[in-house]
Amino acid sequence: KTAMQIVEIMKVVEARHPVVMATRVSAEKSAEIQAALPQATYFEMARICAIQPSVPLAIRPGKLSILTAGTADLPVAEEAAVTAELCGFQVTRLWDVGVAGIHRLLSNRHVVDQSDVLIVAAGMEGALPSVVAGLADCPVVAVPSSVGYGASFNGLAPLLTMLNSCATGIG
């Protein structure tokens, strides 16, 4: 969509709902959007342009945590985190805790144990969601990212790993 198409859509939605989000927005497009809609905020890492209510939404119950295997997964994870926060959820972020440095995950085990839902983003071979699901007693949303080198096949390898996981509770 063009920036002006996004502006028109956001205006229509804003009249009906207190939160409006446009995802996968480039910094250049967000500048055009913000020129037309000064109330819009741009979340650069998440690539989200949003209109937020003047009064914050009520905090939703539950503990949502988002984990990444590596720093290359941050844009995907931040998109999920900002979306959840805009919808009223409190989010715990745990970045760069992949299986290549499993000690980082294990030293943050309390985050996994205290969560009601976990969103886990991973590229490369996509092993982190299976490991986390093996530790957790709550639902795990596995999110493959297209980062990685070698045989990650632009995200296909982590997707297949996540689909083939034998750990329970993964979606």
Side-chain angles (χ1 to χ4, degrees):
K1 294 179 179 48
T2 67
M4 288 307 108
Q5 288 171 328
I6 294 170
V7 166
E8 292 306 314
I9 292 167
M10 291 180 89
K11 284 179 181 177
V12 170
V13 175
E14 183 182 24
R16 295 181 173 99
H17 197 276
V19 177
V20 182
M21 288 183 285
T23 60
R24 304 293 168 110
V25 175
S26 68
E28 297 77 27
K29 241 182 228 183
S30 75
E32 290 181 61
I33 294 167
Q34 288 176 298
L37 298 170
Q39 71 273 36
T41 303
Y42 185 59
F43 300 87
E44 186 173 5
M45 177 73 70
R47 298 169 296 171
I48 291 175
C49 195
I51 297 173
Q52 303 172 69
S54 54
V55 177
L57 297 176
I59 302 225
R60 294 184 183 268
K63 189 147 178 92
L64 173 64
S65 297
I66 303 178
L67 291 69
T68 68
T71 55
D73 303 308
L74 285 175
V76 171
E78 267 301 306
E79 183 179 3
V82 169
T83 298
E85 288 171 339
L86 288 170
C87 292
F89 291 95
Q90 291 185 308
V91 175
T92 299
R93 291 165 169 83
L94 192 55
W95 299 160
D96 200 19
V97 293
V99 297
I102 197 76
H103 61 284
R104 295 185 302 253
L105 174 64
L106 297 176
S107 67
N108 286 285
R109 174 76 190 262
H110 63 282
V111 173
V112 173
D113 292 341
Q114 296 168 359
S115 297
D116 296 307
V117 175
L118 294 154
I119 298 174
V120 184
M124 298 297 292
E125 80 285 354
L128 184 62
S130 293
V131 171
V132 170
L135 297 170
D137 64 355
C138 65
V140 174
V141 178
V143 181
S145 67
S146 59
V147 299
Y149 49 84
S152 69
F153 300 108
N154 294 318
L156 181 60
L159 172 64
L160 293 174
T161 296
M162 293 171 195
L163 289 172
N164 288 307
S165 176
C166 63
T168 59
I170 290 186

